[in-house]
Amino acid sequence: MKIFKDLVQDPDLEWEFIDGSIVRAHQHSSGGVGDENQAIGKSVGGNTTKIHMAVDAFGLPIEFLLTGGEVHDAKEAPNLIQKLPNADFIIADKGYDSEEIREQIRQKSSTPIIPRKKNSNTGNADIDWGLYKYRHLVENVFARLKHFRAIATRYDKLKRNYASMLAIACSYIWLPM
């Protein structure tokens, strides 16, 4: 993790994009020793882990968190946003639609770009749709990370080991920079 944090030098913090992606956990990855939460959750699809990722304006990873696959994006968003450096805009999808998340982003002196759900009374008149289109940068990071076999399917029993592999994969993405 320290290598990844050392490589994250001078990220472009004009925009930050956040999103989550589910990774299937191999059947032998569950049952890690100890009482610590291993970030493997039970869902209809089996054992899964969710990667909550933040990327900068260049589409380079700057922060991530791991939870069980059943954890909703909006529940883990406050922890992720708290760890992020200040940016001009924080962009997310409808899964992060909540006034608490928007307020937390505003408290960081950032502007939230989060579309509201269909059933919202407020509407989306204040959304910068041109900027929202760049949200594909965070999706591209997930696509690049899932080229690594150890990331695409979780084989590690312990959360710290899987987080270490994810940090190494994120470091590879930063190396050409």
Side-chain angles (χ1 to χ4, degrees):
M1 190 64 82
K2 184 169 175 12
I3 294 170
F4 167 60
K5 292 298 182 181
D6 287 344
L7 283 173
V8 179
Q9 295 293 323
D10 195 28
D12 184 355
L13 297 176
E14 183 179 2
W15 309 330
E16 289 174 342
F17 301 91
I18 58 174
D19 202 1
S21 182
I22 292 179
V23 174
R24 295 219 14 154
H26 192 267
Q27 64 185 0
H28 298 299
S29 66
S30 62
V33 177
D35 295 332
E36 182 185 346
N37 177 8
Q38 300 304 333
I40 297 177
K42 294 278 189 188
S43 64
V44 176
N47 294 335
T48 55
T49 294
K50 186 171 266 191
I51 303 169
H52 303 272
M53 180 72 66
V55 302
D56 68 357
F58 289 128
L60 299 169
I62 54 175
E63 190 65 60
F64 65 86
L65 296 174
L66 297 174
T67 62
E70 79 284 354
V71 177
H72 192 274
D73 292 339
K75 290 198 183 256
E76 195 61 27
N79 297 331
L80 182 60
I81 293 168
Q82 180 183 0
K83 294 176 92 175
L84 293 177
N86 291 346
D88 295 339
F89 297 92
I90 296 181
I91 299 100
D93 62 9
K94 290 180 184 181
Y96 295 89
D97 178 23
S98 95
E99 283 307 314
E100 292 81 18
I101 293 173
R102 284 187 181 86
E103 187 56 38
Q104 182 184 10
I105 292 171
R106 287 184 193 105
Q107 287 174 358
K108 290 183 67 103
S109 301
S110 298
T111 303
I113 306 292
I114 304 170
R116 291 178 177 82
K117 296 178 183 168
K118 284 183 183 178
N119 60 356
S120 172
N121 294 331
T122 308
N124 288 317
D126 60 339
I127 297 294
D128 181 354
W129 291 106
L131 182 55
Y132 183 74
K133 287 181 182 178
Y134 287 103
R135 201 183 63 75
H136 69 88
L137 293 171
V138 71
E139 302 293 345
N140 293 350
V141 167
F142 285 123
R144 288 180 71 186
L145 287 173
K146 290 184 178 182
H147 284 219
F148 297 94
R149 183 173 182 249
I151 305 301
T153 303
R154 180 177 172 172
Y155 296 99
D156 297 304
K157 288 182 182 283
L158 301 178
K159 178 181 177 180
R160 65 156 195 226
N161 294 349
Y162 186 68
S164 297
M165 290 303 297
L166 188 57
I168 289 171
C170 289
S171 299
Y172 282 135
I173 294 173
W174 266 92
L175 283 178
M177 301 312 286

